[in-house]
Amino acid sequence: MVKDKQFPAPEGLPIDGMSRWSQFKKFSPISREKFRQLSRDGLAPKPVRLGIRCTFYSNRELHKFLQNPLEYRA
C-alpha cells in the first residue's frame, strides 16, 4: 500500500463523472463562448449548475459531442 503519494491525473477526459470547462477545453475544437452558445441551442451538452460560478458538464455527453460535434444533439 502506498501512502501520501499523489498519482498524476489522467491525460484524457474520464468517461464517467463531471468536468468543468477548464478540464476539457484542450479537447474542444471551439471556443468557450461558442460552446456556451451551442449548449444553449441544444447542439452541445447541457450544463449542470451548482451555483452562479460553478458549472459542470457530463463527461459521457462531452465524449459524444467531441466524437462528432457537427451531428450532436442534446
Side-chain angles (χ1 to χ4, degrees):
M1 186 168 139
V2 178
K3 289 185 178 182
D4 298 324
K5 185 172 182 179
Q6 291 187 348
F7 295 98
E11 290 184 11
L13 187 65
I15 299 292
D16 291 324
M18 305 289 277
S19 294
R20 298 186 72 164
W21 170 257
S22 62
Q23 295 170 304
F24 70 88
K25 68 182 174 184
K26 62 184 168 189
F27 306 111
S28 179
I30 56 178
S31 70
R32 180 179 187 170
E33 179 60 17
K34 186 61 177 177
F35 187 84
R36 186 194 67 78
Q37 291 170 355
L38 290 173
S39 180
R40 176 194 65 202
D41 297 339
L43 302 175
K46 294 289 183 189
V48 175
R49 298 200 185 272
L50 299 179
I52 294 172
R53 296 183 183 185
C54 191
T55 304
F56 288 89
Y57 298 88
S58 165
N59 286 351
R60 287 197 181 271
E61 291 301 311
L62 287 171
H63 276 282
K64 290 177 189 176
F65 173 77
L66 294 171
Q67 286 177 358
N68 194 353
L70 296 177
E71 293 184 15
Y72 180 85
R73 300 293 180 263

